Amino acid sequence: EVQLVESGGGLVQPGGSLRLSCAASGFSFDNNAIGWFRQAPGKEREGVSCISPPDKTTYYADSVKGRFTLSADNAKNTVNLQMNSLKPEDTAVYYCAADRWICLVVAGLKSADGVSWGQGTQVAVSS
């Protein structure tokens, strides 16, 4: 059974940083990718970033490019999202997800049908 557990959310002031982690179990990092999504109240879910652990290839949405960095620790089956220069508009529940084609889902090119999801972690950016 695929399990994804997010951690690291919280309240931070604008300009601050947070590091989210996604611990994965029940599947192989060799043929799956991990993605991060977020959903703010009253808004649609948005793809944020993804990583393909075998070759560490990453993708970032324009809204977070240059501020967020995604990395994978293959030995620990964990993916970390380092979020810097946070803005109030980054406030949302952040979810990690796993699927072979998750980067296409993050980019909005494929539906999320069949994707495995974590329970989410709240990020609030406010002064």
Side-chain angles (χ1 to χ4, degrees), residues 38-41 87-94 122-126:
R38 65 186 182 186
Q39 188 163 21
K87 306 174 181 179
E89 51 263 44
D90 293 318
T91 295
V93 178
Y94 283 70
Q122 176 73 53
V123 171
V125 184
S126 175

Side-chain angles (χ1 to χ4, degrees), residues 34-65:
I34 304 292
W36 281 94
F37 297 77
R38 65 186 182 186
Q39 188 163 21
K43 294 189 176 181
E44 292 188 355
R45 184 180 60 210
E46 174 189 15
V48 174
S49 180
C50 66
I51 187 166
S52 173
D55 58 12
K56 306 293 177 74
T57 302
T58 54
Y59 166 87
Y60 299 95
D62 287 343
S63 57
V64 306
K65 201 172 293 183

Side-chain angles (χ1 to χ4, degrees), residues 2 4 27 32-37 45 95-106 110-118:
V2 175
L4 301 166
F27 68 95
N32 282 280
I34 304 292
W36 281 94
F37 297 77
R45 184 180 60 210
Y95 301 89
C96 68
D99 186 78
R100 184 174 183 179
W101 308 109
I102 199 67
C103 286
L104 293 179
V105 181
V106 169
K110 186 180 183 295
S111 78
D113 292 349
V115 168
S116 299
W117 295 93

Side-chain angles (χ1 to χ4, degrees), residues 4-27:
L4 301 166
V5 180
E6 301 98 332
S7 61
L11 174 64
V12 64
Q13 292 186 341
S17 299
L18 280 175
R19 187 185 193 216
L20 305 184
S21 293
C22 175
S25 62
F27 68 95

